[in-house]
Amino acid sequence: MSKTNYSPTGTDAWHNLEQLSKVEANTRITELFDLETDRVERMSLQAGELFLDYSKNLVSKNVWRQLIALANESNLLTHRDAMFCGDPINGTENRAVLHAALRSEQGDLRTSEDRDRNSTINQQLEHVRQVSEKVRNGSWHGSTGKSITDVVNIGIGGSDLGPKLACSALSEFSHPSINIHFIANVDGAEILTTLAKLDPETTLVAIASKTFTTQETLLNAKTTLDWFEETLGLKSAQASAHFIALTASPSNALAYGIPESQILEFAEWVGGRYSLWSSIGLSIAISIGFPRFSEMLAGAREMDLHFQNAPIDQNMPVIMALLGIWYSNFLDAQSTAVIPYCERLQLLPSYLQQLDMESNGKATSLNGQPITYNTGAIVWGQTGTNGQHAFFQLLHQGTRLVPIDFIAAVKDSLSNDEHHRVLIGNMLGQSSALMKGQAAPESQPHRYYAGNKPSNTLLMDSLSAKNFGALIALYEHKVFVQGSIWNINSFDQWGVELGKNMANKLLDSDLDHDSLDASTKNLFDHMKKII
Ligand code: F6P
């Protein structure tokens, strides 16, 4: 089949997988272990300090062969090479997708602009280094000459979730006397209660916005400007040392009044949800220091190289993507759970929600055709062991198929042997119990565990900056692989526009209430009675 007319459903592999799903849906994973003596060895692999065991999946050798065939028959390899070559694979916005360039080394990129790109990237990262080091060593002074004790990152979506996750995940390395705060929601209670606890003389605000047009971010920024004006008597506080802009739209930041030297730029070809590696990561560099920030980039680069060079059937992001496709498209799973057994990764599920659902929640193909098969799964989760005492009931005895990613660090220098043994023991106990199940004792059907619930287990040697970078890049590439096979553009997000426009219409003072739908009008009328 010509690649331009490609649809996954037109491949032989897709057809074979449909057939296999009819006969293999009831296969017992435990029986596959009995049949396949090499299963554990065959279905586990190492990339850097990440180890993936995917043997607890509902996947026989036949199914696996067809999933690999699907990857080979799809657009994946051409699409992957096009991304790393800087082709404009984000067609609806005519943009290249080069977040991997931010963590590349000279020669990694396969574009003719390789050198130019790298020198621009290096300059931008150098700016991040300089600013972060000045803040960390106390030589960045506020308007009254004091050093910075608190940094407030104002941004939403990708301008919030990545930096917030990284600062939390790598809190082991955080600066002892600089606190980082994240404000995303336009809910005034958030920004106002945060500011009330801060000293304006020692507060630095980073306005993080790729476009520098986002309503929530600009309103939160305005509230901080007012606060500086009221508390320090600053006029045009945005021009003071209390403000920094992190953006791909420097002209908008300049027009806002931020001095050029305080605008940390990044390129258009960095998607918002892929931007923690860019100057959007300033708060990370301030928190953990630029050398560790660079280690995070190096870990992501290691995963980029693995993704580009490892054979398809030994390629961690490809393997995880194919497993997700098997469950979504052939076994009708609606969602997938991510359960880190590490409290410092508590924000990982919400980070992955944007990465995965904003990228692959699409119903139009790259050829502009409506899609007739499932695309992006619903991603959800929370840390173990907390989740065990909340939603694990449904995982063990519910009626839905929910494939799970269990994630843990083998060593944790912030914990101790006793806690860590119990934590990891719980994770392994859960994945094993979910797979094996248990027969009900006589006359106690409510104690039946069906088992056969699939999971991956991903172990990092430790939660270092490098391994964290590799982990995030792994999921970025997993999402990319799925988008390629599903033949969708994983790098635009037109779906969020309609709601934004509607909200703006409703906020317009000239709003004609009679033009509203009956339910919305009713809600307005109800609120009017209360306010
Ligand atoms: O509305 C969705 C979105 O565009 C996300 O993709 C993005 O991460 C977020 O808004 C914030 O955008 P910006 O960084 O331009 O403020």
Side-chain angles (χ1 to χ4, degrees):
M1 179 186 309
S2 127
K3 296 284 180 193
T4 48
N5 295 326
Y6 164 77
S7 161
T9 53
T11 60
D12 291 341
W14 190 278
H15 176 74
N16 294 337
L17 286 163
E18 276 177 337
Q19 299 307 315
L20 282 170
S21 67
K22 289 177 197 150
V23 285
E24 298 220 11
N26 296 323
T27 305
R28 300 290 304 180
I29 307 172
T30 43
E31 283 166 16
L32 294 173
F33 275 97
D34 297 338
L35 284 171
E36 302 165 5
T37 48
D38 62 343
R39 187 170 173 88
V40 172
E41 202 194 343
R42 199 168 41 79
M43 298 183 85
S44 57
L45 84 156
Q46 183 96 36
E49 291 188 7
L50 266 53
F51 179 79
L52 172 69
D53 180 311
Y54 60 103
S55 61
K56 292 193 185 81
N57 277 288
L58 195 42
V59 167
S60 67
K61 274 187 179 168
N62 279 344
V63 169
W64 192 239
R65 216 170 287 124
Q66 292 305 320
L67 285 169
I68 296 294
L70 177 64
N72 283 318
E73 287 177 49
S74 74
N75 272 344
L76 172 61
L77 297 183
T78 11
H79 206 213
R80 178 189 68 184
D81 293 345
M83 175 169 76
F84 285 101
C85 281
D87 290 353
I89 61 166
N90 175 359
T92 60
E93 295 174 316
N94 194 28
R95 280 187 197 149
V97 174
L98 275 169
H99 48 273
L102 297 167
R103 56 241 188 172
S104 67
E105 285 185 6
Q106 197 81 41
D108 284 359
L109 298 181
R110 300 175 195 160
T111 78
S112 53
E113 296 139 295
D114 183 33
R115 228 168 302 124
D116 292 346
R117 272 220 175 92
N118 268 321
S119 73
T120 313
I121 292 164
N122 286 344
Q123 278 167 20
Q124 291 170 348
L125 285 177
E126 175 58 17
H127 206 170
V128 173
R129 188 189 68 76
Q130 285 169 7
V131 173
S132 60
E133 287 187 352
K134 274 183 109 174
V135 174
R136 283 173 64 84
N137 67 25
S139 61
W140 185 286
H141 295 135
S143 54
T144 59
K146 292 192 178 168
S147 300
I148 299 301
T149 57
D150 293 89
V151 176
V152 183
N153 186 89
I154 297 183
I156 198 161
S159 300
D160 167 67
L161 293 163
K164 190 162 60 180
L165 164 66
C167 287
S168 160
L170 303 175
S171 56
E172 177 178 0
F173 313 111
S174 61
H175 192 285
S177 53
I178 299 177
N179 301 309
I180 317 276
H181 312 265
F182 289 90
I183 298 292
N185 202 326
V186 74
D187 178 350
E190 277 300 294
I191 180 89
L192 293 170
T193 53
T194 301
L195 293 179
K197 289 182 231 146
L198 301 181
D199 176 354
E201 290 187 80
T202 58
T203 296
L204 174 69
V205 174
I207 308 177
S209 176
K210 179 176 174 184
T211 54
F212 227 80
T213 58
T214 302
Q215 182 193 49
E216 295 93 324
T217 299
L218 293 183
L219 180 51
N220 280 325
K222 180 179 162 295
T223 301
T224 58
L225 286 173
D226 294 346
W227 178 66
F228 280 109
E229 199 172 309
E230 282 158 22
T231 54
L232 298 183
L234 290 181
K235 293 274 171 270
S236 308
Q238 65 272 40
S240 74
H242 292 280
F243 278 84
I244 284 185
L246 316 173
T247 187
S249 310
S251 54
N252 285 349
L254 269 179
Y256 194 83
I258 310 274
E260 196 173 349
S261 61
Q262 285 160 227
I263 300 175
L264 275 62
E265 270 186 66
F266 62 99
E268 274 271 283
W269 41 251
V270 181
R273 51 194 174 274
Y274 301 87
S275 63
L276 79 161
W277 323 101
S278 72
S279 53
I280 288 288
L282 176 72
S283 53
I284 311 171
I286 293 175
S287 177
I288 65 175
F290 193 78
R292 280 220 165 78
F293 181 76
S294 304
E295 283 172 25
M296 183 184 90
L297 300 185
R301 173 178 180 258
E302 206 170 280
M303 186 53 71
D304 294 338
L305 295 178
H306 169 82
F307 177 47
Q308 287 180 88
N309 299 320
I312 290 274
D313 61 351
Q314 293 297 314
N315 197 307
M316 210 179 267
V318 176
I319 290 169
M320 289 176 67
L322 291 174
L323 291 164
I325 287 179
W326 170 240
Y327 295 120
S328 278
N329 296 107
F330 302 99
L331 300 189
D332 214 22
Q334 295 300 309
S335 78
T336 181
V338 178
I339 308 183
Y341 275 67
C342 174
E343 207 48 34
R344 304 197 299 284
L345 288 175
Q346 63 176 290
L347 298 173
L348 184 64
S350 52
Y351 173 82
L352 293 178
Q353 280 175 338
Q354 188 200 15
L355 177 66
D356 199 322
M357 294 164 79
E358 200 173 67
S359 298
N360 284 344
K362 309 280 163 70
T364 306
S365 78
L366 283 175
N367 321 332
Q369 299 303 311
I371 277 179
T372 53
Y373 42 89
N374 277 339
T375 57
I378 298 158
V379 181
W380 61 283
Q382 86 126 298
T383 53
T385 59
N386 304 16
Q388 291 174 204
H389 299 273
F391 54 80
F392 268 56
Q393 166 64 39
L394 180 147
L395 297 179
H396 283 285
Q397 289 190 315
T399 52
R400 294 169 194 277
L401 172 63
V402 185
I404 302 166
D405 286 352
F406 289 103
I407 302 173
V410 177
K411 291 178 293 187
D412 189 347
S413 56
L414 288 188
S415 185
N416 64 25
D417 286 350
E418 190 180 1
H419 278 273
H420 207 57
R421 200 174 58 80
V422 173
L423 181 75
I424 301 298
N426 266 280
M427 180 182 78
L428 297 178
Q430 291 295 331
S431 62
S432 181
L434 285 161
M435 174 178 73
K436 287 181 165 171
Q438 190 172 281
E442 186 73 32
S443 347
Q444 295 188 48
H446 53 279
R447 291 181 63 188
Y448 171 59
Y449 297 82
N452 225 24
K453 318 278 187 187
S455 65
N456 290 318
T457 303
L458 193 53
L459 299 176
M460 292 174 278
D461 288 7
S462 64
L463 185 49
S464 62
K466 181 167 163 282
N467 292 341
F468 173 76
L471 177 73
I472 299 305
L474 167 64
Y475 276 97
E476 285 180 350
H477 294 318
K478 174 200 161 182
V479 167
F480 174 85
V481 174
Q482 294 191 329
S484 301
I485 294 178
W486 285 325
N487 202 33
I488 54 179
N489 180 358
S490 301
F491 298 102
D492 61 9
Q493 56 284 320
W494 294 101
V496 301
E497 293 303 320
L498 178 61
K500 278 188 201 171
N501 294 341
M502 193 64 85
N504 286 335
K505 248 191 218 161
L506 293 187
L507 291 169
D508 192 328
S509 49
D510 291 337
L511 173 71
D512 169 12
H513 278 240
D514 291 334
S515 68
L516 295 173
D517 66 80
S519 162
T520 308
K521 186 168 178 304
N522 184 34
L523 292 166
F524 261 113
D525 292 345
H526 174 77
M527 288 189 284
K528 258 194 236 153
K529 281 185 248 155
I530 294 169
I531 291 170

